[in-house]
Amino acid sequence: MSRHRALRARVRRGIAKWPVLIVVFVVLIGLGWLVFSWAGGVLDSRARALAQNCSEGNSVLRVAATPSVAGAVADVARAWSATRPVVYDHCIAIEVTSADSAAVLDGLTTKWDSDKLGGRPHAWLPDSTLWANRLSALNAKLVGAAPKSVGTSPVLLAAPEAAAPVLKDFRWSNLPEVTDWSKFGQSWGRFSVAMPDPAANTASALAIQSALADGKGPVTAESLGSEASKAKLTKLAATVPPEVPPTTREALRRLGDSATVNAAGFSVTPVSEVDLYKHNTGKEAPSKPLVGVLPVGPTPVADFPYIALGGPEVGEAEVRAAQAFREFMTQPAQQKILASGGLRVESTQNRPSPSPGIAWAAVTENLVAADATTTQQISSAWASADRGGQVVTVLTDVSTSMKPRLDKVKAALRGQVDRSVSGSFGLWEFARDLDGSKPYKQLVATGAVTEKRDALRRSIDGLKTSDGSQLYTSLAACYETAHDGFVAGRINRVVVITDGTSDGGIDLAALKSRLHGEDLAVSFIAIGGEVDKDALTDIAQTTGGSVSVVENADGIDAALGQVLSTKA
């Protein structure tokens, strides 16, 4: 019996390994499949999310900013990029370029020079709404949305260190009256203010507006046409030094290089606070910083508007991205970045430090700015007073299509004549067979506006419509007469107001053959959508002029002011 048990013991077998291995293998495959499915699902989910967010690919938002704040705006742009913005299924990258506002305005309204300015922008941040007004006067369709201020900067007087304490009680209303430092008990001689071209330098434009304002403002079209305002403009123009720097930046440089008061050829110059801060702390800062004087009374303020641009060059994604970046810039964290760059913002009182020459004095009352149209009129009124004024010949369309617009044309021309302090003005009209077989008629020969004012008013009031619109033949005759009467040392220009195309007479090529280059600019105010803008632009560029496109007659007044305020 024991042998039988021993036999059973010897034949006992262990568990086979291969079934276990098969089970483990199957389990591992299953787990692997689950892991792979999970990972694939995550990747697919991410791919779907990416496709949903950026299915339209990448897009670049280009922002042109005035040099004084371009660095701070670039810092804000980097913060925005860190949020990986997606707009209209486009992943948005942002580029900020530093560009003078005058160059941006010229590029947007003529031909954009990418070599000099970089890519055409989708948004613009100049230093003042003055630039938005000018852009609207030239082509309102280029303003894609209402401008929104992202910060402010008061306008100061930049003065040498020795002169600043003497001006502690100075008021902007003193500008036309003070001509000598003896007014302040000093023996420094003539007191003069460098006023770089207000059509290209915001601080100058706002300073002139403040000098004309009665109290806190605003300057109106009615007050601007008063004898009191014309007298102020005449006096103010007389205080301007013989050689005025073309830009505020150059005026600051010359003041900073001067060892004594008046050594620069002038005493002070208007400047925005942030521009003075940048001048005093930049790479070319003077050894002795210029001092910013905040005049007593209502203060003109540069409002730094962010402008989302419009036009065929701006796609829907860029429009939306420009608006999104605008909202981002006005958030408190981004406002602090702009404040660190020298702007004043409501959300913080932080100021950059060090800031030599800048006291960051409290502004107790802002000047109430003039409206958009009056702003243009102020600039053109200044142009009529500065250095003897301009020599302007106006050729206006009186064809039948102009009938519903003629009253607005008359009002704009009459206002310009009434506000002109000096300079010369002449008036022509065109249609067909206005003077015998001639399609044009000279109503008032170009001459001193002070002597021709009554004749100009009568002729403007007497304008009435007629058939035909022989623009090119009429412009050739008007241009030749204006060229024969060219006045050296003054700005000479022909301004054409029209709402249609040339329907007879000489052609465009024949007209261009009679033009003499850029010494006599031809500028157009084109009303409505029936004009041949390409042809008008061709003529304007040939002569160094401009084309202002207004949708209806309501824009004529501002457009005329804009045209006559420029130096070209």
Side-chain angles (χ1 to χ4, degrees):
M1 184 178 291
S2 61
R3 189 171 60 83
H4 181 69
R5 290 197 297 268
L7 179 61
R8 290 203 301 265
R10 285 198 300 269
V11 300
R12 183 181 297 164
R13 297 176 179 179
I15 299 173
K17 294 181 179 179
W18 63 268
V20 175
L21 292 174
I22 291 173
V23 170
V24 170
F25 183 74
V26 170
V27 169
L28 289 176
I29 290 175
L31 288 174
W33 181 84
L34 289 173
V35 170
F36 180 81
S37 298
W38 174 82
V42 170
L43 293 173
D44 287 343
S45 176
R46 289 180 179 174
R48 286 194 299 271
L50 183 61
Q52 180 181 2
N53 287 339
C54 300
S55 59
E56 297 298 321
N58 299 321
S59 186
V60 177
L61 173 66
R62 291 189 290 271
V63 180
T66 191
S68 58
V69 298
V73 174
D75 289 341
V76 174
R78 280 188 282 273
W80 194 53
S81 293
T83 69
R84 302 194 179 280
V86 177
V87 177
Y88 260 39
D89 295 335
H90 289 76
C91 285
I92 304 296
I94 183 169
E95 296 177 357
V96 177
T97 57
S98 174
D100 287 326
S101 296
V104 175
L105 179 70
D106 182 62
L108 290 174
T109 55
T110 55
K111 184 178 180 181
W112 188 263
D113 190 337
S114 298
D115 292 336
K116 292 182 179 179
L117 300 172
R120 186 184 178 95
H122 308 110
W124 182 25
L125 182 58
D127 56 6
S128 172
T129 297
L130 294 172
W131 293 102
N133 295 340
R134 291 164 182 158
L135 182 60
S136 293
L138 289 166
N139 190 341
K141 291 182 178 180
L142 294 178
V143 179
K148 183 175 183 178
S149 174
V150 300
T152 62
S153 188
V155 177
L156 314 174
L157 279 178
E161 192 174 48
V166 178
L167 297 171
K168 59 184 178 63
D169 295 323
F170 189 87
R171 293 178 175 272
W172 289 112
S173 57
N174 295 149
L175 280 178
E177 308 296 334
V178 179
T179 59
D180 197 279
W181 279 104
S182 61
K183 170 77 174 178
F184 307 104
Q186 302 296 323
S187 57
W188 292 328
R190 186 172 186 257
F191 179 87
S192 61
V193 182
M195 204 75 75
D197 181 11
N201 296 275
T202 293
S204 295
L206 292 176
I208 291 170
Q209 195 171 137
S210 296
L212 294 177
D214 184 14
K216 67 178 182 180
V219 178
T220 64
E222 290 73 24
S223 66
L224 185 58
S226 70
E227 293 303 319
S229 287
K230 286 190 278 191
K232 286 180 182 179
L233 280 172
T234 300
K235 289 180 180 179
L236 186 56
T239 67
V240 172
E243 294 185 11
V244 180
T247 66
T248 300
R249 193 177 300 119
E250 176 63 16
L252 292 175
R253 189 194 65 77
R254 285 175 52 177
L255 268 180
D257 289 344
S258 304
T260 58
V261 176
N262 276 3
F266 51 89
S267 309
V268 295
T269 192
V271 61
S272 69
E273 186 178 62
V274 67
D275 274 344
L276 183 57
Y277 164 68
K278 291 296 184 182
H279 172 78
N280 283 345
T281 59
K283 293 181 180 179
E284 300 180 359
S287 56
K288 286 188 176 182
L290 295 171
V291 177
V293 177
L294 181 67
V296 177
T299 301
V301 174
D303 60 344
F304 288 82
Y306 179 90
I307 308 167
L309 297 173
E313 297 85 359
V314 184
E316 186 64 25
E318 288 82 12
V319 169
R320 299 288 182 172
Q323 293 171 349
F325 184 58
R326 178 192 65 195
E327 297 309 312
F328 184 79
M329 291 187 76
T330 57
Q331 296 173 3
Q334 281 56 252
Q335 290 280 280
K336 287 182 179 179
I337 295 175
L338 296 176
S340 69
L343 284 183
R344 298 193 182 200
V345 299
E346 292 184 359
S347 60
T348 179
Q349 295 300 312
N350 292 349
R351 302 286 183 253
S353 181
S355 50
I358 311 293
W360 307 105
V363 174
T364 57
E365 187 176 24
N366 288 356
L367 178 78
V368 179
D371 63 34
T373 298
T374 306
T375 297
Q376 309 297 352
Q377 294 169 346
I378 293 170
S379 293
S380 63
W382 171 257
S384 78
D386 187 29
R387 306 185 188 284
Q390 305 180 36
V391 181
V392 179
T393 304
V394 174
L395 171 65
T396 185
D397 190 344
V398 292
S399 61
T400 305
S401 61
M402 286 287 288
K403 188 171 184 177
R405 299 165 170 145
L406 201 55
D407 284 344
K408 293 291 179 69
V409 172
K410 290 180 180 181
L413 292 175
R414 193 184 304 112
Q416 185 60 43
V417 168
D418 289 345
R419 290 187 298 268
S420 293
V421 175
S422 60
S424 298
F425 207 93
L427 180 65
W428 291 52
E429 62 179 351
F430 76 94
R432 182 189 296 132
D433 299 331
L434 289 180
D435 187 8
S437 61
K438 297 177 182 177
Y440 55 84
K441 187 174 184 179
Q442 184 184 51
L443 300 176
V444 180
T446 304
V449 69
T450 52
E451 299 173 5
K452 305 263 187 175
R453 209 183 306 267
D454 288 341
L456 286 164
R457 287 169 177 158
R458 288 193 299 270
S459 294
I460 291 169
D461 290 343
L463 289 173
K464 57 184 180 181
T465 57
S466 183
D467 292 334
S469 179
Q470 293 188 13
L471 169 60
Y472 297 155
T473 299
S474 303
L475 178 53
C478 181
Y479 180 91
E480 286 292 348
T481 301
H483 194 269
D484 290 343
F486 186 89
V487 179
R490 305 260 291 280
I491 295 172
N492 291 246
R493 68 171 88 242
V494 173
V495 179
V496 182
I497 303 173
T498 185
D499 71 344
T501 57
S502 189
D503 66 359
I506 65 173
D507 60 15
L508 178 60
L511 168 62
K512 288 182 64 179
S513 71
R514 302 187 189 186
L515 304 177
H516 301 285
E518 298 188 359
D519 57 342
L520 177 61
V522 177
S523 292
F524 294 90
I525 297 175
I527 311 166
E530 299 301 319
V531 297
D532 186 346
K533 186 183 175 184
D534 290 341
L536 302 188
T537 300
D538 190 4
I539 298 166
Q541 291 180 344
T542 298
T543 62
S546 62
V547 178
S548 302
V549 180
V550 297
E551 293 183 18
N552 54 59
D554 291 334
I556 296 172
D557 212 341
L560 183 61
Q562 166 64 20
V563 168
L564 296 183
S565 66
T566 60
K567 293 293 185 183

